[in-house]
Amino acid sequence: KHSIKSQYRAALMMLRQAVEGCPDALWCDASYKNTVWNIAYHTLFYTHLYLSPSEEAFEAWELHRNHYHEFGAWPEPYSREQVLAYLTFCLGQVDVQVDACNLEASSGFSWLPFSRFELHLYNIRHIMLHTGELAERLGGKEAFAFEWIARQAD
């Protein structure tokens, strides 16, 4: 569990770099199919969801707007500050939820037919998929370099 938590924290800290380093002009840039804010929010929504014990136990973040975790053109984007607040919330859930789970139990999500252990790997991979997407976007527009975070201790 220590290693799982370390990798969650490292992945989320790399996502934080993308959110904090994104130029204002790129945050809502509609020339891309999916905006930076929407990718970041989508990533955090699913991080939060899959840290929860099950779909039924999931309690949406206090600022959640229905369907905003889906990709699309939404009328009211989340601000960078809101996304960073959600990221901080998710970081706070890592230790609590990973410590409380049985890694050998089922995922808790009917569409993911594997163990909680594999769910955590799946969730971390999802964070890094979208963090890489944002890294490419930021690096293609600006002189932006990510600091690779191999692990993040408590």
Side-chain angles (χ1 to χ4, degrees):
K1 288 184 178 182
H2 173 79
S3 296
I4 292 169
K5 293 184 296 185
S6 172
Q7 290 304 307
Y8 264 119
R9 287 191 293 267
L12 288 167
M13 294 308 292
M14 290 185 73
L15 178 60
R16 181 187 298 272
Q17 288 180 67
V19 171
E20 289 176 342
C22 180
D24 291 342
L26 196 54
W27 187 251
C28 295
D29 186 348
S31 68
Y32 291 95
K33 180 179 178 188
N34 301 312
T35 58
V36 169
W37 76 262
N38 194 202
I39 294 167
Y41 185 77
H42 163 91
T43 305
L44 292 168
F45 174 87
Y46 282 100
T47 299
H48 179 198
L49 176 66
Y50 293 143
L51 278 168
S52 299
S54 66
E55 180 182 16
E56 297 76 31
F58 176 68
E59 294 181 22
W61 180 54
E62 63 184 358
L63 298 180
H64 177 71
R65 299 178 196 137
N66 287 337
H67 305 291
Y68 271 54
H69 62 284
E70 299 167 2
F71 293 126
W74 301 108
E76 186 181 350
Y78 281 100
S79 70
R80 182 186 324 267
E81 293 73 26
Q82 289 170 318
V83 169
L84 287 170
Y86 197 18
L87 194 150
T88 298
F89 172 84
C90 288
L91 277 167
Q93 291 294 298
V94 168
D95 284 1
V96 172
Q97 298 297 341
V98 174
D99 283 342
C101 81
N102 173 351
L103 294 176
E104 295 177 12
S106 71
S107 73
F109 300 89
S110 61
W111 58 92
L112 299 174
F114 39 68
S115 70
R116 288 295 296 177
F117 175 74
E118 191 168 353
L119 175 68
H120 290 309
L121 297 179
Y122 176 90
N123 204 6
I124 293 165
R125 286 179 40 238
H126 182 253
I127 296 166
M128 289 310 300
L129 167 79
H130 290 302
T131 299
E133 180 181 9
L134 294 176
E136 175 63 24
R137 186 173 301 179
L138 294 174
K141 292 279 187 181
E142 302 286 328
F144 185 82
F146 274 93
E147 174 192 347
W148 179 260
I149 301 172
R151 61 187 311 224
Q152 189 72 31
D154 298 347

